[in-house]
Amino acid sequence: MSHAMSDDQVAGELKKMTMFIRQEALEKAKEIQIKADEEFAIEKSKLVRQETSSIDSQYEKKFKQASMSQQITRSTLANKTRLKVLSARQELLDDLFEKARDQLKSYSEDKSKYQEICKNLILEGLYALNEDRVAVRARKEDYEVVKKSIDDAKKEYKEEVSKDIEIELDEKNPQPEASSGGVSIVGTGGRIDINNTFEERLKLLETDALPMVRTSLFGKNENRKFYD
């Protein structure tokens, strides 16, 4: 017997996907930091050699100039390092969600599980619209599964809210065949479209889960003072 994948389970799958690149992220950040330290040491040594060779009666003035130059060099290298780390982190995040996009179609391969997923996506739309009649749009290849999902959703909806609902499979407006799956629930005579396709759900997850993913991969940002 198949079981529906809850939002927590889906998020759990995504979290598992992040774990295998965590070590790579840490190693890249460490490598960047080591390189930055080496560059700083080289710049510092160069400045010291240049300044000590020209020390004379204006020692105090030159010392202050060297100190200021060193601070500027440190600041410049720190900024370069920060930008490199941020760039590396963004690349890893982009790669993570790209891998997630590549796996979306796999969720429609197991038809029994996919039927349950579609049922839950339809129910979510029914509860949000709260109408007596809605239409469901899906890929043509999913029509057989989605019809079963519609029947299951109608039954569960009636059990939960004690009200019948008419659900039509809109075969005139199918979802693009390039879509990874999922459904759209259309109400109010076509004026409201709740997009519950897999691609749209992943977009929402990218936005909602991004802070959690960043923290999981890179740790808490100590410089951040405010959180949503």
Side-chain angles (χ1 to χ4, degrees):
M1 180 177 179
S2 62
H3 298 282
M5 292 184 67
S6 66
D7 286 347
D8 287 342
Q9 288 174 319
V10 174
E13 289 296 318
L14 177 60
K15 186 173 181 181
K16 289 178 183 179
M17 292 166 57
T18 68
M19 292 177 65
F20 79 93
I21 64 172
R22 178 185 178 91
Q23 187 61 37
E24 180 183 352
L26 295 175
E27 290 176 357
K28 284 189 176 182
K30 183 177 180 181
E31 179 182 346
I32 291 171
Q33 187 62 55
I34 291 173
K35 185 175 180 181
D37 289 342
E38 291 175 350
E39 292 177 355
F40 173 73
I42 292 172
E43 290 293 328
K44 179 180 178 181
S45 177
K46 180 180 179 181
L47 285 171
V48 171
R49 287 196 303 270
Q50 290 175 347
E51 295 302 323
T52 54
S53 65
S54 61
I55 291 177
D56 54 15
S57 59
Q58 297 180 351
Y59 169 81
E60 189 66 25
K61 179 181 178 181
K62 290 185 178 292
F63 177 80
K64 290 179 180 179
Q65 291 176 341
S67 178
M68 180 62 69
S69 179
Q70 189 179 71
Q71 290 177 20
I72 293 173
T73 300
R74 183 188 294 273
S75 178
T76 299
L77 289 174
N79 286 334
K80 286 183 178 180
T81 300
R82 179 175 176 275
L83 291 175
K84 288 180 180 179
V85 170
L86 290 175
S87 178
R89 287 180 175 182
Q90 189 59 50
E91 288 179 6
L92 288 169
L93 289 172
D94 291 343
D95 183 61
L96 167 65
F97 285 111
E98 185 61 33
K99 284 183 171 63
R101 276 187 285 273
D102 291 340
Q103 292 192 13
L104 284 180
K105 286 195 174 182
S106 66
Y107 288 106
S108 63
E109 293 175 357
D110 186 322
K111 298 306 178 183
S112 60
K113 288 184 179 180
Y114 186 48
Q115 179 181 332
E116 183 73 10
I117 291 172
C118 288
K119 181 204 74 173
N120 290 329
L121 293 175
I122 293 170
L123 279 171
E124 184 178 291
L126 299 183
Y127 293 136
L129 291 170
N130 191 29
E131 296 187 8
D132 296 327
R133 180 177 182 178
V134 300
V136 171
R137 294 171 181 169
R139 299 181 302 181
K140 288 182 179 180
E141 64 183 88
D142 294 336
Y143 281 173
E144 182 178 347
V145 171
V146 172
K147 285 178 182 178
K148 296 178 182 178
S149 299
I150 288 174
D151 291 338
D152 294 340
K154 288 170 66 175
K155 180 179 179 181
E156 185 168 331
Y157 184 79
K158 184 174 182 179
E159 291 174 353
E160 293 294 328
V161 301
S162 301
K163 184 173 72 172
D164 288 317
I165 186 169
E166 183 177 344
I167 306 175
E168 173 193 4
L169 178 60
D170 185 0
E171 299 186 19
K172 294 181 179 179
N173 298 285
Q175 296 287 0
E177 292 305 309
S179 170
S180 297
V183 295
S184 289
I185 303 90
V186 183
T188 319
R191 292 192 296 274
I192 299 179
D193 184 348
I194 297 178
N195 190 339
N196 268 350
T197 59
F198 286 172
E199 287 85 358
E200 188 64 23
R201 295 304 292 256
L202 182 59
K203 286 180 184 179
L204 293 175
L205 185 61
E206 286 186 44
T207 301
D208 296 341
L210 189 57
M212 178 188 69
V213 174
R214 280 202 182 103
T215 300
S216 177
L217 284 175
F218 312 120
K220 184 179 178 181
N221 185 351
E222 298 298 336
N223 295 321
R224 186 173 182 182
K225 296 181 180 180
F226 302 101
Y227 294 86
D228 297 332

